[in-house]
Amino acid sequence: MKFSVISSGSKGNMTYIEGETSAFLIDAGVSLPCAKCRTNIDFSKVKAIFVTHEHIDHVKFLRTVAKKLDCPIYIHKKCFMGLFKKERIELSESGIKIFFIEENSHYVIEGINVYTLKLSHDAKSILGYIFSENNKSLCYMTDTGFFPTDYLDVVSKVTGLIIESNHDIEMLKDSDRPIELINRILSPVGHMSNYICCQVLKKIACNIKVVVLAHISEECNSLECINRDVIEPLKETYKGDILVASQCVATDLIEL
């Protein structure tokens, strides 16, 4: 199993996951031409798009990407109903196959096991995912105000983890953002901070091969903060690889 975080952040999200015979995308918040400019991945292998939630940075190009790749969309029904009415109508009339999936469920799609996780965000529905094949697995968990403790055990057993490390709390509080937005981000339905991310990883990351820190705020976080508050504290116990996803640069194709 291989993966690449093509884009991660409030301006657009897309992640590529490749198994032995097929590949998936998580979200389509950037266009296909944009994604192709960042990587030499063969997108013709993509057999499905999995949607985390309906916020625009995750679904802006959902219809056009699905149409160009001629692949179905897997989405929670509440998430689908949370899309703009015009987009729902255009998706329904486009000929694109749409499959509704539930949280805390298991599916086998194109030979890959897919487990859905229920996260906490101010969306109609927010899903995390674990993809597994041939004893390799990747968990994707961003856009959540906290890490649900029910998943500590199962996520500690994955091979690779993409996890949110959205903001530095002090930078967020000192920012020029409206207080309502600051409070939303800090809330249980907001985004995980560097501090929370680090505490979670201390509990679960011991046997994970590679961790990618994702959905990083361009205004309220920095590589310096992430290194100080997440990466350095983890080095005492974690011996795997820690990477930082970017809004504008895709990661390499990482093999698990």
Side-chain angles (χ1 to χ4, degrees):
M1 182 171 282
K2 304 175 184 178
F3 74 96
S4 172
V5 181
I6 294 170
S7 183
S8 183
S10 60
K11 295 177 182 176
N13 295 270
M14 178 184 285
T15 295
Y16 172 87
I17 301 162
E18 182 180 313
E20 281 194 351
T21 59
S22 60
F24 301 148
L25 291 179
I26 304 175
D27 290 335
V30 296
S31 68
L32 194 58
C34 177
K36 288 181 175 180
C37 284
R38 299 182 182 187
T39 177
N40 59 2
I41 286 170
D42 180 5
F43 286 90
S44 68
K45 295 179 181 179
V46 174
K47 302 301 181 184
I49 301 173
F50 290 84
V51 178
T52 58
H53 63 296
E54 75 276 7
H55 288 172
I56 194 68
D57 54 321
H58 295 260
V59 299
K60 184 175 183 179
F61 296 94
L62 181 60
R63 178 172 50 85
T64 57
V65 172
K67 193 71 175 177
K68 287 180 179 179
L69 296 179
D70 189 25
C71 66
I73 295 167
Y74 289 83
I75 187 171
H76 196 287
K77 188 172 184 178
K78 289 181 180 178
C79 175
F80 179 79
M81 296 306 297
L83 298 173
F84 291 120
K85 182 178 180 180
K86 179 176 181 289
E87 185 65 14
R88 293 201 310 271
I89 293 172
E90 290 178 347
L91 274 169
S92 299
E93 295 177 348
S94 67
I96 298 167
K97 291 182 180 179
I98 298 172
F99 297 100
F100 293 136
I101 54 177
E102 300 289 333
E103 63 269 357
N104 296 321
S105 298
H106 171 228
Y107 304 89
V108 180
I109 300 168
E110 297 289 335
I112 296 177
N113 291 286
V114 183
Y115 300 87
T116 57
L117 312 175
K118 183 178 182 179
L119 305 183
S120 178
H121 197 50
D122 56 350
K124 298 296 183 182
S125 171
I126 172 70
L127 296 178
Y129 292 99
I130 297 177
F131 301 89
S132 65
E133 180 188 53
N134 297 333
N135 297 315
K136 302 291 185 181
S137 54
L138 174 70
C139 176
Y140 183 95
M141 185 177 282
T142 73
D143 294 78
T144 186
F146 62 91
F147 187 104
T149 55
D150 289 349
Y151 301 134
L152 286 171
D153 184 60
V154 66
V155 176
S156 71
K157 297 173 182 175
V158 301
T159 318
L161 171 62
I162 301 168
I163 188 170
E164 179 169 54
S165 190
N166 178 256
H167 60 274
D168 173 80
I169 295 173
E170 294 307 315
M171 285 183 70
L172 176 61
K173 288 181 176 180
D174 292 340
S175 70
D176 294 330
R177 292 181 171 184
I179 189 63
E180 294 82 8
L181 177 57
I182 293 172
N183 288 337
R184 172 209 164 229
I185 293 169
L186 291 172
S187 78
V189 293
H191 292 276
M192 283 207 304
S193 67
N194 293 342
Y195 174 79
I196 295 175
C197 178
C198 184
Q199 298 310 303
V200 170
L201 289 174
K202 283 181 177 180
K203 292 180 180 294
I204 67 171
C206 183
N207 295 312
I208 297 175
K209 180 180 177 181
V210 57
V211 172
V212 178
L213 306 177
H215 215 293
I216 292 159
S217 171
E218 292 183 302
E219 298 175 354
C220 300
N221 210 345
S222 68
L223 291 177
E224 181 182 5
C225 289
I226 291 169
N227 189 65
R228 180 193 67 206
D229 296 331
V230 184
I231 297 175
E232 287 299 326
L234 283 175
K235 283 184 177 179
E236 299 175 9
T237 55
Y238 179 65
K239 305 305 177 185
D241 295 326
I242 306 177
L243 307 175
V244 180
S246 167
Q247 183 70 85
C248 300
V249 180
T251 68
D252 292 336
L253 193 59
I254 301 162
E255 185 162 3
L256 295 176

